[in-house]
Amino acid sequence: MSKIHDRLDIKLPIWNAGMGMGMAGAELCSAVSNARGMGVLGLGGMPPSAMRTVIAQTRKLRSRAFGVNIIMPMMVEGQIECCFDEDVPLMILFWGDPTPYINDAHRRGIIVVSQCGDVEEAVRAADAGVDGVIVQGTEAGGHVKATRPLADVLKETVRELGSLPVIAAGGIATGEDVIRALKAGASAVSMGTRFVATNE
């Protein structure tokens, strides 16, 4: 298990992707967290007032740590500050440079993970001080930044980042897929489409 999982007392190497439009809302996030995986809220371009409502709903339903996913090109004013004020345990930043937010998050004890589309971006995020990366393959659904298959980019990212946790994303739908990613060096997997087809 990874350093992130140890800090958050996560026992299963499965994260739900932070899908927006209510797909990864309080119910899905809390169900994954309560099953000892890493539940992630997809808050997209949601205004801070709405974010607070969803975070509060999640806290009522779950007994364990959870994360918030923010797609940086869709960010609206106050989203990062909302995560800080609400003391979310983990913040995932996608499609942008996480550097401006890392130190402030760490001062508050918040774990920062950067979702990346290639090895080079993952290395830059690691150098900036993130606590882990989600590396995406072209098999991914939703917002796809990847340009190569997951197996290729995962292997290279794990090699480049050493002990930094790497979470694999893209086309993972079965137990065999999970095992394959873990054997390739991933600390966990992030699954989106599979959870869309799953009753919370």
Side-chain angles (χ1 to χ4, degrees):
M1 296 299 282
S2 75
K3 292 176 282 188
I4 294 173
H5 291 173
D6 289 342
R7 284 177 60 182
L8 298 179
D9 193 28
I10 302 299
K11 299 303 181 185
L12 299 177
I14 295 175
W15 300 28
N16 73 268
M19 301 170 288
M21 304 298 290
M23 287 185 286
E27 290 187 5
L28 176 59
C29 176
S30 61
V32 174
S33 287
N34 289 337
R36 307 302 296 272
M38 185 69 237
V40 178
L41 291 170
L43 301 185
M46 194 177 287
S49 58
M51 289 177 63
R52 293 181 199 280
T53 299
V54 177
I55 290 169
Q57 290 171 342
T58 304
R59 287 197 158 115
K60 287 181 181 178
L61 294 171
R62 71 96 185 97
S63 59
R64 301 191 175 277
F66 67 99
V68 168
N69 181 59
I70 295 176
I71 301 172
M72 298 180 75
M74 297 171 59
M75 276 201 308
V76 298
E77 185 176 354
Q79 279 194 306
I80 298 291
E81 291 76 11
C82 177
C83 291
F84 291 167
D85 293 343
E86 294 294 326
D87 194 26
V88 300
L90 180 144
M91 191 168 63
I92 298 169
L93 301 176
F94 181 34
W95 219 310
D97 181 8
T99 305
Y101 312 107
I102 295 170
N103 289 339
D104 286 340
H106 284 168
R107 278 195 289 270
R108 293 165 170 83
I110 297 172
I111 294 169
V112 180
V113 171
S114 178
Q115 182 159 329
C116 304
D118 56 39
V119 179
E120 294 76 18
E121 185 182 13
V123 169
R124 289 194 300 271
D127 290 343
V130 297
D131 300 287
V133 300
I134 298 174
V135 66
Q136 186 187 63
T138 50
E139 303 91 337
H143 297 274
V144 182
K145 193 176 185 184
T147 58
R148 293 194 294 152
L150 177 61
D152 296 341
V153 71
L154 174 61
K155 180 179 179 181
E156 293 181 25
T157 302
V158 168
R159 184 177 65 237
E160 289 293 327
L161 299 193
S163 63
L164 193 77
V166 177
I167 295 89
I172 299 167
T174 68
E176 288 81 5
D177 294 335
V178 175
I179 291 169
R180 191 177 302 111
L182 298 179
K183 284 185 176 179
S187 298
V189 299
S190 177
M191 302 169 71
T193 304
R194 185 64 186 87
F195 278 112
V196 173
T198 302
N199 186 304
E200 282 78 341

